[in-house]
Amino acid sequence: MTNPPRIERQPTSLGLGAWQLAWLAAAVFVVSAGYGALMPLLPAWLAPLMAADGQAEVARHVGLLSGLYAAGVLVGAPLWGLVSDRWGRGRILVIGLVGYVTSLLPLLWPDWIGLAGIYASRGATGFFVAAVVPVVPALVAEHTPQDQRARRFAWLGAMSLLGFLFGPGLNAAAAQMSTTLASVGAGTFDPTNLVIVTSAALGALMMLGLATTLPRVAPAAVDDNIQPQSGDRRRTMALWGLNGAVMFVLSGFELGIVLQGQQHPTLSSREISLMFAECSLVMLGVNALLFFTGLLERAAGRGVMAAGLVLAIAGLAMLAQHRSDGWMYIGVSLTAAGTGLVLPTISYLAAGASRRRRLGATMGGLAAAAGFGQTLGSAAAGWLFGAVAQFSFAWLALPLLATLGTLIVRPAWWSTESQPPHSPRVSPAPLPK
């Protein structure tokens, strides 16, 4: 019997070095920061281009540009994931970052490219960012022993959140840089252009770093057939659906926080900003918890997701019934903690549920499901909060309740452990990577 030893064997050349992992995490950080930095600047940046159209028209274009970026991710993620399975992940990452940098630079000349060019640029940016979002976790999963995978996925999630938090800080740094350059006689520079140049420069730096440090050869295939194909696709699709549902709720929840300022006059824009910061910091703290404790390696993923769903449902229920700002802060924390538990767990389980030769397609589908859920959630929540106001938070909990039910009644959908058809039991050897 040679199969059991072969299942247990771990190739020693698969591991990513510290610098390789750092460059991959930095790439996720940079594309997240670029989005978070540019989006708040769009209204003021577009206003001079359409001064005769009024603020309502500017707001409409900002919304459409945001939706086009999400559509680029939605279309690009599964496509780049599939291509990376055939051409190699490192090559696709570099192509994605080249496209990311190239798509940003035309924004330096908005008068020349016009409104159509701005739309094309934002859509292209989303499309090329989609070559980074699914391929980085696929590459990490492919080159990481299973007993280290959970911590590394938590680390990637934390870097993405840090990027979103860093984005507004990049705006402040660009404004200060513009003032400093003017004061020393170096000329007048638009802060928005400085943000674009800085984002592009960081993207170019990531491109060079990844091109020189990533593994040149993919790890050799290790018995993909030891994981039966039966149920593999079903588990993957279940995780895609869960990811889309959670992002649907998360985007609606975030939009609901913004709209609370209209429904509660005592809630200032400063407090709304604090709630957004609280949401990001709580999710970041949960990722840190997963990283330092190795929780996903110690507990069943289904149990971790169930706990996260319960927390998020409790937070949404509290938001639907809150009578004071203090209770709203608690509801935001619970919802953020719950979704912060579920999302990295989904990525971790998806990496384990897929065979290596389909990792790119699996992670691409996961990113596409997230983009679809986010787009649909924003649109649905806008209508929902206009119809039933604060009680919309309770309606947003329904998809999470339905998902919690499937965790209970369909446990096989969320398990990544598979038994070979000729063996009654296989020791907890890692799945092929």
Side-chain angles (χ1 to χ4, degrees), residues 191-211:
T192 303
N193 285 345
L194 290 176
V195 169
I196 294 169
V197 169
T198 304
S199 298
L202 289 172
L205 178 63
M206 296 305 106
M207 175 187 65
L208 294 174
L210 290 172

Side-chain angles (χ1 to χ4, degrees), residues 1 4 64 116 167 171 224 294-295 298 328 358 366 394 411:
M1 294 292 290
L64 290 173
N171 296 339
D224 264 352
L295 179 62
R298 302 168 183 269
M328 191 171 183
R358 292 202 300 266
L366 206 64

Side-chain angles (χ1 to χ4, degrees), residues 66-301:
S66 179
L68 188 60
Y69 179 95
V73 175
L74 179 63
V75 172
L79 175 62
W80 289 117
L82 282 169
V83 173
S84 78
D85 287 336
R86 295 178 179 271
W87 287 7
R89 314 213 191 279
R91 185 180 303 175
I92 297 305
L93 272 176
V94 173
I95 290 173
L97 287 167
V98 170
Y100 171 74
V101 172
T102 305
S103 67
L104 286 177
L105 293 178
L107 296 177
L108 294 170
W109 302 278
D111 292 330
W112 182 65
I113 63 175
L115 191 59
I118 293 172
Y119 271 92
S121 177
R122 292 308 290 159
T125 301
F127 180 77
F128 285 109
V129 164
V132 178
V133 173
V135 176
V136 167
L139 193 147
V140 169
E142 187 175 54
H143 290 269
T144 300
Q146 187 158 342
D147 59 352
Q148 299 176 23
R149 193 180 289 173
R151 294 185 181 220
R152 291 187 173 183
F153 270 64
W155 171 245
L156 291 178
M159 293 304 291
S160 178
L161 287 168
L162 280 174
F164 282 114
L165 286 173
F166 178 78
L170 185 59
N171 296 339
Q176 182 61 43
M177 189 186 306
S178 177
T179 303
T180 302
L181 290 173
S183 66
V184 299
T188 302
F189 294 89
D190 186 345
T192 303
N193 285 345
L194 290 176
V195 169
I196 294 169
V197 169
T198 304
S199 298
L202 289 172
L205 178 63
M206 296 305 106
M207 175 187 65
L208 294 174
L210 290 172
T212 56
T213 62
L214 284 184
R216 300 294 181 186
V217 180
V222 184
D223 287 345
D224 264 352
N225 62 351
I226 65 173
Q227 179 174 324
Q229 189 170 1
S230 175
D232 182 26
R233 189 177 302 275
R234 181 174 56 196
R235 282 189 294 272
T236 300
M237 293 185 69
L239 290 166
W240 287 354
L242 176 55
N243 207 45
V246 174
M247 289 304 299
F248 174 92
V249 173
L250 185 60
S251 60
F253 155 71
E254 291 175 343
L255 182 62
I257 294 175
V258 174
L259 296 178
Q260 293 304 291
Q262 298 177 350
Q263 298 167 6
H264 296 271
T266 59
L267 201 63
S268 67
S269 58
R270 176 179 175 275
E271 289 174 310
I272 291 174
S273 298
L274 286 175
M275 288 178 187
F276 270 102
E278 174 196 11
C279 180
S280 297
L281 289 172
V282 169
M283 294 181 76
L284 183 61
V286 169
N287 275 266
L289 175 70
L290 293 176
F291 178 80
F292 287 111
T293 65
L295 179 62
L296 293 180
E297 299 156 8
R298 302 168 183 269

Side-chain angles (χ1 to χ4, degrees), residues 411-422:
W413 287 8
W414 317 101
S415 172
T416 60
E417 296 180 358
S418 300
Q419 302 295 332
H422 299 101

